Amino acid sequence: MLGQADYSPPFLAPNTTGGALLNGVNYASGGAGILNGTGRVFVNRIGMDVQVDYFNITRRELDGLLGKEKAREFIHKKAIFSITVGSNDFLNNYLMPVLSAGTRVAESPDGFIDDLIIHLREQLTRLHALGARKFVVANVGPLGCIPYQKTLNRVKDDECVKLPNTLAAQYNGRLRDLLIELNAGGLPGGRFLLANVYDLVMELIANHRKYGFSTASVACCGNGGRYAGIVPCGPTSSMCDDRENHVFWDPYHPSEKANVLLAKYIVDGDSKYISPMNLRKLFKL
């Protein structure tokens, strides 16, 4: 929607070098989170701290590619840093059955969320120190409404699980406060947009028929239980007939059709879903 030719290549792909860097780089890692302990069960996941280290490597490569002054201007003015992180810190850490019992007993939700915000602040501060100025930061979606949580907790089709949603809302309030503070001069010259993914996904779920979906609770690709939400999508998974009918692609993630709708709101939407301005306005600055 902003005119980029293709998806940004993953940082670790062998061809992500030279001119390819000017089309953006993707540092995301499945199962990773803000905290280094998040997603331990996935072994090879790369947490946000290391992702920032990786950006520092790209930053140095851009110096070589464009020269120091031009690289700095490119990062300052053209580059947008899209940060969508936090869900796994709850799903694959704090809320994880058995594995997280230690964490949950040792730490109150407030304490855990404090840790997340302190860590994220450090990560945003590091990115800012490396020249990043334009950020769009997504909050955490309604985790209690994903097929995985709904199947696990055996709730009705039109119900969501309370605890994950309460935790997400609590974290989101703290994230909003953090970004307001950073925009008010906490990190000079930095502009931080808050993408309200929580309310956006709730909007799609509540009005899924209006948007052309037939289900907002059953995963298209997955297995187990009423909402195909226990076993992640893989080569042996059952597949739905038409993924366009599903708000959720797998037990965790929205479908591509849902993501396109989310993107439209984030790029061109109003302050209910993206604030203090939309992504298109930030892009033009």
Side-chain angles (χ1 to χ4, degrees), residues 210-232:
K210 180 180 111 180
Y211 292 101
F213 298 103
S214 60
T215 175
S217 51
V218 180
C220 169
C221 180
N223 286 96
R226 186 170 165 192
Y227 307 111
I230 298 292
V231 183

Side-chain angles (χ1 to χ4, degrees), residues 148-166:
Y148 167 67
Q149 284 290 331
K150 288 182 67 150
T151 305
L152 214 57
N153 293 279
R154 301 190 173 153
V155 295
K156 291 194 200 114
D157 190 58
D158 60 351
E159 273 184 329
C160 295
V161 188
K162 286 199 178 69
L163 176 64
N165 277 2
T166 305

Side-chain angles (χ1 to χ4, degrees), residues 113-248:
I113 289 166
D114 275 347
D115 273 1
L116 290 179
I117 294 293
I118 289 165
H119 251 83
L120 183 63
R121 177 200 288 272
E122 285 169 2
Q123 290 154 350
L124 295 173
T125 303
R126 283 179 66 206
L127 285 169
H128 179 269
L130 293 169
R133 289 299 178 267
K134 296 179 175 184
F135 298 83
V136 54
V137 184
N139 66 12
V140 167
L143 303 175
C145 303
I146 65 174
Y148 167 67
Q149 284 290 331
K150 288 182 67 150
T151 305
L152 214 57
N153 293 279
R154 301 190 173 153
V155 295
K156 291 194 200 114
D157 190 58
D158 60 351
E159 273 184 329
C160 295
V161 188
K162 286 199 178 69
L163 176 64
N165 277 2
T166 305
L167 290 169
Q170 196 178 331
Y171 167 80
N172 291 344
R174 294 287 307 279
L175 175 67
R176 197 187 76 230
D177 293 345
L178 172 65
L179 298 185
I180 287 171
E181 182 198 321
L182 299 181
N183 275 326
L187 289 174
R191 289 175 185 268
F192 296 84
L193 305 193
L194 175 62
N196 185 2
V197 172
Y198 187 99
D199 286 339
L200 269 173
V201 173
M202 278 306 219
E203 161 69 18
L204 292 192
I205 290 170
N207 301 304
H208 62 274
R209 295 201 182 279
K210 180 180 111 180
Y211 292 101
F213 298 103
S214 60
T215 175
S217 51
V218 180
C220 169
C221 180
N223 286 96
R226 186 170 165 192
Y227 307 111
I230 298 292
V231 183
C233 180
T236 58
S237 300
S238 310
M239 283 277 287
C240 65
D241 293 330
D242 186 358
R243 59 193 73 187
E244 300 263 301
N245 286 331
H246 292 249
V247 171
F248 289 97

